[in-house]
Amino acid sequence: MGRTAFFVSDGTGITAETLGNSLLSQFEGIPFRRVTIPYIDTAEKAAAAVARINTATQEDGASAIVFDTIVNVDIRDAISRAQGYMVDVFATFLKPLEQQLGVESSYTVGKCHSINEFSRYHRRIESVNYALDNDDGGRQQQYDKADIILVGVSRCGKTPTCLYMALQFGVHAANYPLTMDDLVNPGLPDILMQHKKKIYGLTIDPFQLSAIRHERRANSQYSSLSQCELEVREAEKRFKAEGITFINTTTFSIEEIATRIMDDVGLDRRQL
């Protein structure tokens, strides 16, 4: 039986989504319909949200699950009267923290995902721009500014990992694709060897790589299993010969890949 899960907030709803989805992921046998309702900052909006929750509960024949991060007490009370099972994130965690720390929370709406310090926000934007500029070997003259350079064959996850690290942690991440022009020669390209300490390799199962490439160029040499096996084998051979740490991305999400890389090389998880 499916259930509806609501993420209700007087801000963006990102915090409610993050915590709620983390908890719901532990219940693999239940199909959840996820609904985010952000910016519930008036009594009228709260009433409309309650109506949606009640409708979902009636249609499902079971209580909707409601994760909320409402700061305003009156609006939170209104939401709590909905016909759903309430998981009040702030009420659950802020009060005990206030008691432990001996001070009251600021109870500021959207504090976690707002521009609290312009310098931090600017670094995030700068890092994203850097990742875009240095995607697929672009602007190699900027590698001296990189915190890390991801290297691997085409479609092994380099670009989304770079963008994730940039957006989430302000990391200057570049990436370089190993093509057949690189792989027919021994070793790694000179431009990479100049920054060897910043290099981190990505590899992938050839069968998975072939499937991914087929979505881009079906029935081509580029997506053939034999080509994928050749490229992956040659890339891994170079990583091992040069003593470059690498990770197989086949079964990992982008978040897991980025976390493992940052942990391996000791990159700071900057709070942005």
Side-chain angles (χ1 to χ4, degrees):
M1 180 179 65
R3 300 284 288 271
T4 303
F6 287 89
F7 309 105
V8 185
S9 175
D10 42 16
T12 63
I14 295 174
T15 299
E17 287 178 333
T18 301
L19 178 61
N21 282 319
S22 294
L23 294 173
L24 294 180
S25 68
Q26 302 302 312
F27 301 91
E28 298 177 359
I30 301 177
F32 290 101
R33 183 172 72 92
R34 293 168 168 82
V35 180
T36 300
I37 311 179
Y39 302 115
I40 303 302
D41 51 11
T42 66
E44 292 75 17
K45 290 180 181 179
V50 168
R52 292 181 66 180
I53 295 168
N54 291 347
T55 297
T57 292
Q58 293 168 10
E59 291 177 348
D60 292 347
S63 296
I65 311 298
V66 183
F67 298 91
D68 86 79
T69 53
I70 303 291
V71 171
N72 183 282
V73 175
D74 293 334
I75 294 177
R76 191 162 67 225
D77 286 345
I79 296 296
S80 70
R81 289 193 285 273
Q83 299 169 10
Y85 177 76
M86 313 303 296
V87 182
D88 189 331
V89 176
F90 283 168
T92 301
F93 297 110
L94 277 184
K95 284 301 181 183
L97 271 176
E98 286 177 339
Q99 295 173 2
Q100 178 63 35
L101 297 174
V103 295
E104 289 190 355
S105 162
S106 63
Y107 289 91
T108 303
V109 175
K111 188 73 171 178
C112 185
H113 301 286
S114 62
I115 305 177
N116 298 320
E117 293 185 24
F118 181 77
S119 61
R120 289 183 176 179
Y121 183 77
H122 178 73
R123 180 175 180 86
R124 175 185 292 179
I125 299 304
E126 181 186 36
S127 297
V128 171
N129 287 333
Y130 181 88
L132 292 171
D133 286 344
N134 291 273
D135 185 40
D136 277 349
R139 302 198 181 185
Q140 297 170 11
Q141 68 274 17
Q142 295 185 2
Y143 282 179
D144 59 322
K145 299 178 182 178
D147 294 316
I148 193 164
I149 304 169
L150 301 187
V151 178
V153 301
S154 172
R155 312 303 287 180
C156 67
K158 301 183 301 300
T159 296
T161 302
C162 284
L163 287 172
Y164 178 82
M165 290 194 291
L167 183 60
Q168 294 294 322
F169 306 113
V171 171
H172 278 54
N175 76 75
Y176 184 98
L178 291 175
T179 66
M180 284 308 300
D181 288 339
D182 298 314
L183 298 174
V184 295
N185 298 312
L188 291 170
D190 290 340
I191 186 63
L192 294 180
M193 294 307 293
Q194 294 173 28
H195 303 279
K196 183 177 177 180
K197 292 183 178 179
K198 297 181 179 182
I199 295 175
Y200 196 101
L202 300 188
T203 187
I204 187 172
D205 180 82
F207 289 94
Q208 177 74 5
L209 180 61
S210 178
I212 293 171
R213 288 184 174 184
H214 265 292
E215 295 179 2
R216 190 176 189 184
R217 294 185 208 165
N219 303 315
S220 64
Q221 177 64 24
Y222 168 77
S223 62
S224 69
L225 180 57
S226 60
Q227 180 67 28
C228 293
E229 288 176 332
L230 172 63
E231 291 184 28
V232 170
R233 181 172 64 250
E234 290 299 320
E236 291 183 359
K237 183 189 300 183
R238 284 157 176 75
F239 295 153
K240 293 174 182 177
E242 297 295 342
I244 293 170
T245 303
F246 64 95
I247 183 175
N248 189 310
T249 65
T250 306
T251 60
F252 294 132
S253 66
I254 295 302
E255 295 88 345
E256 290 173 310
I257 296 168
T259 299
R260 288 171 181 272
I261 291 171
M262 294 178 68
D263 183 58
D264 279 347
V265 303
L267 285 177
D268 292 334
R269 296 167 65 95
R270 304 181 180 106
Q271 181 64 45
L272 299 178

